[in-house]
């Protein structure tokens, strides 16, 4: 963004659903060319819901374990692929 140019920023980014409504031209407004809609490449929101049977902390720990195992498997597949090239 250029220095000195007024800029608006989403007040509560977690409430933004990326619906793109803000950049759509309508009879009421035409902000499309003035708004830049983008996501942070290295950012994601991880939310956990529990009915109460299992503590959210336990769910997160177990999910991290599953994710770690999947990452190891993916790394193994990448290494196998690279070795075939």
């Amino acid at each position: 963004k250029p220095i000195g140019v007024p800029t608006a920023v989403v007040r509560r980014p977690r409430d933004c659903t990326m619906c793109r409504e803000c950049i759509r031209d309508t009879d009421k407004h035409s902000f499309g060319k003035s708004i830049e809609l983008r996501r942070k490449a290295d950012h994601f929101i991880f939310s956990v819901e529990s009915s109460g049977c299992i503590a959210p902390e336990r769910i997160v720990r177990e999910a991290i374990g599953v994710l770690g195992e999947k990452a190891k498997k993916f790394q193994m597949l990448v290494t196998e692929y690279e070795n075939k090239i």
Side-chain angles (χ1 to χ4, degrees):
K1 62 185 170 190
I3 296 173
V5 175
T7 305
V9 180
V10 175
R11 181 180 294 177
R12 292 178 301 276
R14 288 185 179 194
D15 292 342
C16 178
T17 62
M18 299 295 278
C19 69
R20 305 177 61 83
E21 189 65 24
C22 61
I23 60 175
R24 190 171 65 99
D25 290 337
T26 67
D27 294 336
K28 295 179 183 177
H29 65 77
S30 180
F31 297 125
K33 293 177 181 68
S34 304
I35 295 175
E36 183 178 335
L37 189 62
R38 61 185 174 181
R39 297 176 187 215
K40 291 184 178 181
D42 62 348
H43 182 82
F44 70 95
I45 296 172
F46 183 82
S47 60
V48 177
E49 293 184 24
S50 173
S51 63
C53 295
I54 303 173
E57 295 83 3
R58 180 175 169 197
I59 295 172
V60 170
R61 279 194 303 272
E62 290 184 15
I64 290 170
V66 170
L67 184 61
E69 289 301 316
K70 289 184 178 196
K72 287 178 189 175
K73 184 174 180 178
F74 180 70
Q75 181 62 51
M76 183 183 69
L77 292 171
V78 168
T79 302
E80 287 178 10
Y81 177 76
E82 289 175 340
N83 290 337
K84 288 181 182 180
I85 294 179

